[in-house]
Every structure is written in C-alpha cells, then in structure tokens.
Amino acid sequence: MPAAHITTRVDGHVLHIGVDRPEKRNAFDRGMLHALAEAYDRLATDDDLRVGVVSASGDHFSAGLDLADVGPAIAAGEPFVPAGMTDPFGIWGEPCPKPVVMAVQGVAFTLSIELALAADIIVAADDVRFRQLEVGRGIVPFGGATIRAVRNLGWGNAMRFLLTGEEFGAEEAHRIGLVQEVVPAGEQLAAATAIAETIAAQAPMGVQATLRQSRLSRDVSTDAAIADMHESLVPIMTSEDAAEGLRSFVERRDGVFQGK
C-alpha cells in the first residue's frame, strides 16, 4: 500500500490527527484509511487522551477518496475500515467514544463531509467547498452521508446536496448545521484546538457519559439514553473528579480532573 500520510501528535490531553498528502489534495487511499482508523483507535483506548482534533495540511482538507486505489478494493468486497478497529465514520465499526473536533478548509468533498457528520464539532474556514458528488460518479456515498445527513441536517437540506452533487460553501454549511463555526481561512485549526482544549479541561467521565447518552438518544432511543444515565450516574457522582468538582466550586477555581 502507499505511504499512510496520517500524522499524530499529542498536546496535553489532546490528540491531533493530521491528513498529510497535499500534493494529491489529501485524497484518501487504503493506507490512509487504515492509518486514520489506527489514530482513532489510539484516541479511543488511551486513557490520557480526552479529545481529538482532525485537520489537514495544505490548502484543502480532502478531495475525497483516491478511487483508483480504493474503488476496486471496495468493489471486490474489502472492508472500507479494517475490522475490529475504531471506525472514524462510525458506520463500518464502533465509533470513537471520545469527542472529535474537526477543522476543514478549501476542498472538502465526499468523505470529508462524512467524517464531519461523524465528528462532534466542526470548524470551517470561510473558503471551504463542500460537495457530495458520488451520484455523478455512478456510485453512492458509503461513509454515512445517506444516514447522518438526513438525521442531522433535515430531509430537504440533505437531499439538496446528496441528490444533486452540487457544491456549497461555508455559509450554507453553517445554515444547515453541518459546521458550528466559520472563521477566516488559516484560523480553523487554532479555533478547533481551542474548543478541544476547553473540552479536555472538563471531567473526562462526565464528558464521555454526556457524549454517549446524547448519541444513544439520537441514534437508538430515549429509553436507551435514560438506562445509561441510571447505570452511570452513581459511579460518576462518587468519583474523585466529582469530589474535585465540588472542591473547585467551593474554592472558586477551575477543577483539575484526573478521569477517576
């Protein structure tokens, strides 16, 4: 397989995951998909890591899949994401149990949108160009857009870009809720990192339970979210972090949480 072109860097409790193939507009080949899943696995399983930031080098986030490499493999029945690994798309395997913040810029086509729909908070540069163009290539989105776009963005908004393959920019993406913040080009990574660092400073057990229950309510049922809340509430309320939270409140300072 070609070189992975996926980088990782730890800064405190934040794992930075970088897409680094700018000479090909960061198009994903099979090696990159595997390496991205490995990076998400690291975020999922390392207790010292509390939140991930996904970004890309160069002028563009990603032109999508390198179909010359990926297409024949998918047509032959190979898995899109390696079995048993954390799935960045949350469709072919288990999603990451920790929050992911994405920074996108320039061309952000196909799989870029699907990664964004699977992530939790998206910061976009004002020059971003989104496009879900599979229908114009004779194929169908298979990274979750047909599932999440309707649920997250509304039927008409989803159908407009899924069925036409039309390009849309930062303003429209913000209007329909695909992105949560738009910043000048070049500032998207700093803005995403600031959000991630704010999340990382909160109590990890509380953050992960909040994310898990919110996903259960959205994806499964209200009853499933309530059941998880009942099961996790006492362990969280009796944790060392909960005691630290109370101390910090009384002492009028920010809490320093250990995830215990």
Side-chain angles (χ1 to χ4, degrees):
M1 284 187 182
H5 302 293
I6 299 294
T7 65
T8 56
R9 175 177 63 86
V10 175
D11 185 4
H13 295 295
V14 178
L15 178 65
H16 286 269
I17 301 171
V19 184
D20 188 26
R21 197 190 185 194
E23 71 280 4
K24 294 290 186 180
R25 287 192 170 188
N26 292 320
F28 276 73
D29 55 36
R30 286 175 291 165
M32 292 171 70
L33 290 169
H34 190 116
L36 184 66
E38 287 182 336
Y40 272 64
D41 245 1
R42 181 179 180 186
L43 175 60
T45 58
D46 188 332
D47 290 340
D48 287 334
L49 299 174
R50 300 179 182 179
V51 59
V53 174
V54 178
S55 64
S57 59
D59 295 332
H60 306 289
F61 183 81
S62 176
L65 289 174
D66 184 342
L67 280 177
D69 178 71
V70 179
I74 297 298
E78 290 187 19
F80 187 47
V81 173
M85 299 187 73
T86 302
D87 181 8
F89 302 91
I91 293 294
W92 300 88
E94 290 298 315
C96 184
K98 299 174 185 176
V100 173
V101 183
M102 276 183 62
V104 295
Q105 79 280 2
V107 168
F109 288 178
T110 59
L111 130 161
S112 308
I113 298 175
E114 295 179 303
L115 281 174
L117 287 167
D120 302 295
I121 301 171
I122 314 301
V123 177
D126 58 11
D127 69 347
V128 74
R129 297 161 53 196
F130 289 109
R131 193 176 181 192
Q132 197 80 53
L133 45 76
E134 284 87 347
V135 292
R137 289 176 171 168
I139 58 175
V140 63
F142 49 89
T146 54
I147 298 161
R148 292 198 176 94
V150 171
R151 181 191 64 200
N152 295 7
L153 312 177
W155 180 267
N157 292 329
M159 292 301 103
R160 177 62 187 268
F161 77 80
L162 285 173
L163 297 181
T164 65
E166 291 177 346
E167 185 177 299
F168 59 101
E171 183 178 348
E172 177 68 1
H174 190 258
R175 183 191 72 80
I176 65 178
L178 178 61
V179 307
Q180 284 64 63
E181 185 175 353
V182 178
V183 298
E187 298 180 13
Q188 66 277 359
L189 178 54
T193 299
I195 293 171
E197 289 175 345
T198 300
I199 296 171
Q202 313 310 309
M205 291 173 66
V207 166
Q208 291 172 38
T210 297
L211 183 63
R212 185 176 63 250
Q213 290 162 22
S214 297
R215 287 175 175 173
L216 285 169
S217 178
R218 180 193 66 186
D219 301 338
V220 183
S221 69
T222 301
D223 287 345
I226 291 172
D228 187 275
M229 181 180 65
H230 288 171
E231 182 178 351
S232 62
L233 185 58
V234 171
I236 290 173
M237 294 296 290
T238 57
S239 68
E240 294 179 22
D241 278 353
E244 164 62 10
L246 178 58
R247 283 194 300 270
S248 66
F249 174 76
V250 171
E251 297 169 7
R252 298 184 179 181
R253 59 174 175 81
D254 291 336
V256 180
F257 301 109
Q258 304 300 320
K260 301 177 181 178

